[in-house]
Structure formats: C-alpha cells, structure tokens
Amino acid sequence: MKYIYDLHKTMLSRNLILVYEGEFTQEITKSVLAMAERNMDSMGEESSIKRKVFNVMVECLQNIVKHSEDFNPLSSKRNAAIFIVGKEDDRYIVTSGNPVDTEAANSLKKRIDEINGLDKEGLKKMYKDIIKTNHLSDKGGAGLGFVDMARKSGQKLEYDFEDMGEGFHFFSITTTVLRF
Amino acid sequence: MEIINLEGTEDTPKILLDKGNGIFEISGRSLPEDSAEFYQPVLDWISAYGEDPNPETSFVFKLEYFNTASSKLILDVLSALEDIEGVSIDWYFHEDDEDMEEAGEEFSELVEIPFDFKTY
C-alpha cells in the first residue's frame, strides 16, 4: 500500500491540487470544473485569475472529451486520459494528457509550434481568421482551443509526446496562468 | 411571436427572447457539449424575428464565460442579427474582466452592428 503514500507525497511536492484520471465526459467535465472552482474560491483567489484558469480548464477538458471519442469504445486508450491542476505561489498549471496516434501527434506538434511562434497580436489575428472562416468540426470543435489557451494565459504552451508503442503517443500539454 | 425563455445552467446560458416586451438577452455561462445544437433554436428564432422585427432591437450579451465552440456560435448569432434593421448590441463584461471586454471588441470588428460596452 506504499504507493498511496508515494502518490500523496508526489502530489504535495508538485503542488497538485487536483488530479483526475479515467473517463472524460461533459458530466465529468462539469464536476471537475466545479471542484477546481470551489478550491480556488476557498483559497480566496482573485476573480480575474479564476476566470482565466477556468477558461483554460474548459478548453483542456473538452478537448479530451472530443478526442476520446476517436477511440473504439472497447479500446483501453479511450478512457486513458489525465487532467491535472497545480498551484504554486505565483502560478496555476493546467495539464492534460491523452493518447494520440502518430498522425495526430505530428499535426498537434506543428499546430502548437505555430501558436507558440506568435505574439499577442499574432494570436489575436489567428483567432479572428479561424472564427471567420472555419466551420465547426463533426465533433463540434471550433479549432480555437489551443489559440484560446495561449491567449488567455499569455504564456507559451508546453507539450510532450511519450512513445506508448503500437503507433501511439501520450500527448501532454501544460498551460501556465500567472497569479500576478 | 413565441417567447424563448431558458433558465441558465452550469454549462448553458440563460436565454430570453421576447419580442413583445422588447427583451433579447443571452447571459451567464456558455460551455455546452454541443454548441451548434444548443444555439440552433436561437438562430431559428432570430431568422423568424427578422421577418417582422421591432423598429429597434437592443440585444444584450452578459456572459461570464464561454468556450471556443460557443464563440463560433455567438458570431453566428451576431451575423444573423446583422441582417436586421435597427439592431444594436449591449455587450456587458465584469469590470475586471479584460478578456470578456476584448472578446466583445473582436466580435464588434467582425460584424457591422453598433456595440455599446457596459460593465457590471
């Protein structure tokens, strides 16, 4: 049972205030948001910071919900995502991780690099170009999630792809919201 | 004309569209799972209203949060209103919410409708 204590210590040392692993649906999204919101309220977080963190969490969680539907319901990868919120003295960290295939990994990498290469004005222009021209995808996505996360946070998006074998990668993305 | 009166929930906004009383309002949180489905009745209502609109229409947006899928649909709502004579937008944002203020400014640059910015 030592892993429980280890997990507890990891969460404390990494300042994680919320970790959720498993199935992601809209209902679970709402519960996770409510929990994180209550947590920020109880710590007396400023409303402007709370709104930014909330926005980033929404985009992150709804990304996972939409993309978990790419997998066959019987696949172990369908419900294998993780969502983490960390809080340090000067920042919140919102991270999600989920399996993607190689093709998706390549296009995600390209897209996030492109976003990270833009400044505030560049991001604004990209957002407006996409909202004017794009139609919603079959999954109901507007193709604006990462741009919005970059804009709301004002920070570069950090990402990582870990090889899971069998042509899959574990894609994780971290958005930082500064508290000051 | 029928009235649309939807109570807000934790992930969908309150919507009140009442031609008779001249009240047109979308407020609260908009992060539905399927934003296109959620906003379709609103778009249908506006299209019917456009057949015989009031001389003036002040349409109120008073949103606390919206997700990116909703932002696309908000633009669709604004585009539908753009074709109606006498429409103006009252865009409310919380006084410390620069992101919501900026979102309103961006929408105002994407459609040809007068926007009035107000804090709450």
Side-chain angles (χ1 to χ4, degrees):
Chain A
M1 298 278 276
K2 185 171 177 295
Y3 75 96
I4 298 172
Y5 182 51
D6 288 342
L7 192 57
H8 172 71
K9 279 194 296 188
T10 303
M11 286 190 67
L12 285 181
S13 68
R14 295 204 170 251
N15 300 301
L16 308 182
I17 56 174
L18 194 153
V19 177
Y20 175 83
E21 148 75 44
E23 183 191 21
F24 284 77
T25 62
Q26 175 76 359
E27 286 311 307
I28 286 166
T29 293
K30 286 193 277 184
S31 308
V32 170
L33 288 171
M35 237 188 292
E37 223 183 350
R38 264 198 297 275
N39 196 316
M40 287 189 284
D41 278 336
S42 69
M43 294 185 292
E45 190 51 78
E46 261 186 59
S47 63
S48 58
I49 304 297
K50 229 168 55 186
R51 273 194 298 270
K52 280 186 191 290
V53 175
F54 187 89
N55 261 301
V56 171
M57 290 193 299
V58 168
E59 296 303 324
C60 243
L61 289 162
Q62 291 190 327
N63 261 342
I64 307 176
V65 172
K66 292 201 169 76
H67 293 289
S68 68
E69 290 162 5
D70 293 349
F71 293 101
N72 181 303
L74 297 174
S75 161
S76 60
K77 296 196 172 59
R78 185 178 170 110
N79 295 319
I82 191 163
F83 177 77
I84 300 169
V85 181
K87 181 185 176 231
E88 294 170 19
D89 289 344
D90 61 343
R91 66 192 61 200
Y92 283 93
I93 289 161
V94 180
T95 295
S96 64
N98 58 300
V100 295
D101 63 25
T102 305
E103 195 187 332
N106 291 334
S107 71
L108 282 165
K109 195 171 180 306
K110 201 170 142 229
R111 179 153 185 77
I112 301 167
D113 285 341
E114 187 188 355
I115 289 168
N116 280 342
L118 296 172
D119 62 4
K120 195 168 185 281
E121 283 307 307
L123 288 170
K124 176 178 170 148
K125 185 175 178 303
M126 183 188 238
Y127 187 94
K128 283 172 80 175
D129 287 346
I130 295 174
I131 199 173
K132 263 192 295 192
T133 51
N134 269 25
H135 292 284
L136 290 185
S137 70
D138 297 343
K139 297 189 198 112
L144 290 163
F146 292 142
V147 193
D148 193 56
M149 284 152 64
R151 292 189 74 193
K152 293 276 159 58
S153 68
Q155 304 294 314
K156 302 293 177 204
L157 305 173
E158 292 170 59
Y159 64 83
D160 180 49
F161 292 93
E162 295 290 330
D163 193 358
M164 300 171 81
E166 297 168 7
F168 285 93
H169 300 269
F170 196 75
F171 163 55
S172 51
I173 181 160
T174 294
T175 309
T176 300
V177 176
L178 296 178
R179 294 182 62 209
F180 305 106
Chain B
M1 196 178 171
E2 62 154 335
I3 294 168
I4 293 188
N5 186 359
L6 292 177
E7 281 301 317
T9 70
E10 56 190 333
D11 62 347
T12 58
K14 172 184 161 66
I15 296 191
L16 182 54
L17 300 173
D18 179 348
K19 183 188 175 194
N21 290 306
I23 302 172
F24 314 89
E25 184 175 322
I26 299 181
S27 57
R29 297 181 167 198
S30 182
L31 30 132
E33 183 168 25
D34 187 338
S35 59
E37 185 186 68
F38 180 79
Y39 280 97
Q40 193 55 51
V42 175
L43 292 168
D44 292 342
W45 191 94
I46 293 170
S47 142
Y49 174 76
E51 300 287 319
D52 179 27
N54 293 349
E56 282 182 21
T57 308
S58 294
F59 203 104
V60 172
F61 285 90
K62 195 172 184 178
L63 293 162
E64 190 192 354
Y65 300 113
F66 60 85
N67 64 355
T68 53
S70 294
S71 70
K72 178 75 191 158
L73 270 298
I74 292 169
L75 181 60
D76 288 348
V77 167
L78 291 168
S79 303
L81 291 168
E82 198 174 15
D83 300 329
I84 300 171
E85 197 77 18
V87 170
S88 63
I89 306 296
D90 287 333
W91 186 271
Y92 283 84
F93 58 94
H94 191 271
E95 56 185 3
D96 69 0
D97 193 352
E98 287 171 16
D99 290 327
M100 189 58 73
E101 181 180 11
E102 199 177 345
E105 284 165 5
E106 284 169 20
F107 283 125
S108 75
E109 291 159 15
L110 290 166
V111 289
E112 305 249 333
I113 310 176
F115 271 59
D116 214 352
F117 291 93
K118 298 176 176 187
T119 54
Y120 67 90

